[in-house]
Amino acid sequence: MFYKFLGAVAARKRQLLNYANLARDTAIDSKMAKFWLSVLETSGLVYLLKPYHRNVTKRLVKSPKLYFLDTGL
């Protein structure tokens, strides 16, 4: 199941991150998707680029972009 999740994450590189769509495509819960993505981020395979906006509240609402750091994976 994790390999299917990893493939779905790789297909969404450089796109806005949507946990609900990612969880739906891999048939897991959105909480599990957030947990697995945090594991990938902690291990250094994935980087979440936080949005930048002058308005601080918009930074909190906007979703981050997903980037793979290890392209040899």
Side-chain angles (χ1 to χ4, degrees):
M1 189 63 73
F2 183 74
Y3 293 116
K4 187 176 181 180
F5 175 78
L6 192 61
V9 169
R12 287 174 172 79
K13 64 180 182 272
R14 294 182 300 207
Q15 294 181 2
L16 293 176
L17 180 61
N18 189 343
Y19 292 107
N21 288 343
L22 187 60
R24 186 189 65 232
D25 291 346
T26 55
I28 59 173
D29 190 33
S30 63
K31 291 181 183 179
M32 183 61 73
K34 286 181 183 181
F35 173 73
W36 281 351
L37 203 57
S38 70
V39 169
L40 290 174
E41 189 177 12
T42 303
S43 63
L45 296 174
V46 169
Y47 179 72
L48 296 178
L49 181 64
K50 308 291 184 201
Y52 179 78
H53 201 275
R54 288 184 181 163
N55 188 347
V56 177
T57 56
K58 283 189 177 182
R59 283 187 218 174
L60 298 174
V61 174
K62 302 283 184 178
S63 58
K65 285 189 176 182
L66 179 70
Y67 286 95
F68 253 90
L69 296 177
D70 187 9
T71 57
L73 187 67

